[in-house]
């Protein structure tokens, strides 16, 4: 697996984990009303990983020669929680399975 794709995979997983941390932090801030420490910690972490995910999509797209539609889908998957995992798994599965003619 090319380096760009391997790094994209790690960043996609980390971005999803940071989403989980941010959502838990938002629960404690807004629902449990017990402080905003989780948001203060995971907000910037998630922001950084979001930017790295976008860069990772572009680098992986170049390495794997993805089409424009795949790139747009990958970038769109940065927004809803945990869809970066779905997209990463989908792209990995497509690389492993030979395309039937």
């Amino acid at each position: 697996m090319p380096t760009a794709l391997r790094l994209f995979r790690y960043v996609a997983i980390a971005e999803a984990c940071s989403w989980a941390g941010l959502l838990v932090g938002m629960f404690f801030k807004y629902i449990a009303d017990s402080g905003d420490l989780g948001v203060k910690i995971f907000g910037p972490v998630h922001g950084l990983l979001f930017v790295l995910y976008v860069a990772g999509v572009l680098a992986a797209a170049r390495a794997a020669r993805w089409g424009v539609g795949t790139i747009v889908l990958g970038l769109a998957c940065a927004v809803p929680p945990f869809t970066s995992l779905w997209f990463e798994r989908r792209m990995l599965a497509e690389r492993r399975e030979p395309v039937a003619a």
Side-chain angles (χ1 to χ4, degrees), residues 30-83:
Y30 296 110
I31 306 298
D33 198 27
S34 60
D36 63 348
L37 181 62
V39 174
K40 284 184 178 180
I41 293 171
F42 283 103
V45 170
H46 178 68
L48 173 65
L49 289 169
F50 176 88
V51 172
L52 289 175
Y53 176 81
V54 169
V57 166
L58 298 176
R62 185 172 183 182
R65 298 182 179 162
W66 295 342
V68 174
T70 303
I71 295 169
V72 169
L73 178 62
L75 293 174
C77 285
V79 180
F82 310 114
T83 53

Side-chain angles (χ1 to χ4, degrees), residues 78-95:
V79 180
F82 310 114
T83 53
S84 62
L85 285 178
W86 170 81
F87 182 75
E88 180 272 326
R89 300 292 171 166
R90 180 178 176 203
M91 293 298 100
L92 185 64
E94 284 183 10
R95 279 191 67 79

Side-chain angles (χ1 to χ4, degrees), residues 3-45:
T3 303
L5 295 174
R6 190 175 313 112
L7 290 174
F8 166 69
R9 181 176 192 204
Y10 297 146
V11 170
I13 293 167
E15 193 266 347
C17 291
S18 73
W19 250 124
L22 185 57
L23 290 172
V24 169
M26 288 172 30
F27 171 81
F28 282 108
K29 180 178 181 178
Y30 296 110
I31 306 298
D33 198 27
S34 60
D36 63 348
L37 181 62
V39 174
K40 284 184 178 180
I41 293 171
F42 283 103
V45 170

